[in-house]
Amino acid sequence: MGCGNTFFTLLVTFSIALITYNIIISANAPLKQELPGPSRSSSSSSRISVDPVIKMPVDRSGRGSGPSSKRRLFHTAVTASDSVYNTWQCRVMYYWFKKFKDRPNSDMGGFTRILHSGKSDKHMDEIPTFVAQPLPSGLDQGYIVLNRPWAFVQWLEQADIKEDYILMSEPDHIIVKPIPNLSKDGFGAAFPFFYIEPKKYESVLRKYFPEDKGPITNIDPIGNSPVIVGKEALKKIAPTWMNVSLAMKKDPETDKAFGWVLEMYAYAVASAWHGVGNILYKDFMIQPPWDTEVGTKLIIHYTYGCDYNMKGELTYGKIGEWRFDKRSYDNIAPPRNLPPPPHGVPESVVTLVKMVNEATANIPNWGS
């Protein structure tokens, strides 16, 4: 028991040392030379004009077309455990990735499931997979999401990634349209989350983002997913993201303040630390049942349960007569041919169920 405690203490100490190392390196590195584009600390004379609504560079917001345009492919990476719950979601996600990968307007390149269980599983031949090691036992303190940044660090160090950009996605994402490379001029592209509020938690975040790094508004209201970011930029961000996540989890005040979104705040801090701003792209994804229309959106994120009565009325907080909730399938994959929602249920939920059903109908050996 004493050895275990000593090891844990040494590991945490090492993590804090790595944060300090990252801080020293970041503070002294010529970021404007190394990062693929301007940082927010650039002088006003070189600053890009940015749309205040979505933070997209105004005069470079159009997608290139014609023979002189070069595709900027990104590699899609999804971190997952080997649980039944994560596995069936990854299989559905990869099915739709393949459907849209080569369609017009797509900049989708390769795909990797980063499996942080430390061992192979039976779906290695179905889904391109990199096996990462999990954090040492106990270090995540029951917060399994801390394995995500550590898995990315390993993948970025060890894998041969052909593309110059990375899309960080999640198992419970369904791609509904071909995804273009939304990043521009050194900016990442990210979905803004209403519950990530850096200004509200400035006193807490200043432990990890000191005042000499700039205003707290440099921290974007994002998590690590969905984000499209330059590969070289992510190689700098990922170790900081990992170490800030561990430090935040170790600090009781921070852990209490951020709860289950702690790792999201850690990514936002790490991105800002390395001078990588983000285009806040609201059309990146929708989250049923709150978002009701698919429209021009690119991803459905089915993180919330969808509960309705047979009149098509939402009964959120109460199990509905009709429901689709991913948590109903934590130990077993959903069956093929899920019953369709009642008449009157929003388009987003109808589309979600149709897409799950199409995937399960066409994936070989579904449920095994």
Side-chain angles (χ1 to χ4, degrees), residues 158-178:
Q158 300 173 34
D160 180 18
I161 306 163
K162 305 296 185 186
E163 298 83 0
D164 291 330
Y165 299 86
I166 308 293
L167 164 61
M168 293 182 284
S169 191
E170 295 183 21
D172 60 352
H173 286 179
I174 291 182
I175 296 169
V176 296
K177 288 179 179 63

Side-chain angles (χ1 to χ4, degrees), residues 86-96 123 126-127 359 363-368:
N86 265 185
T87 300
W88 70 257
Q89 292 172 33
C90 283
R91 297 179 78 189
V92 171
M93 199 272 187
Y94 185 55
Y95 172 86
W96 285 104
H123 298 291
E126 178 185 339
I127 309 174
I363 296 174
N365 304 311
W366 181 255
S368 64

Side-chain angles (χ1 to χ4, degrees), residues 353-368:
V353 175
K354 284 182 177 179
M355 295 185 80
V356 170
N357 278 343
E358 179 178 331
T360 61
N362 289 282
I363 296 174
N365 304 311
W366 181 255
S368 64

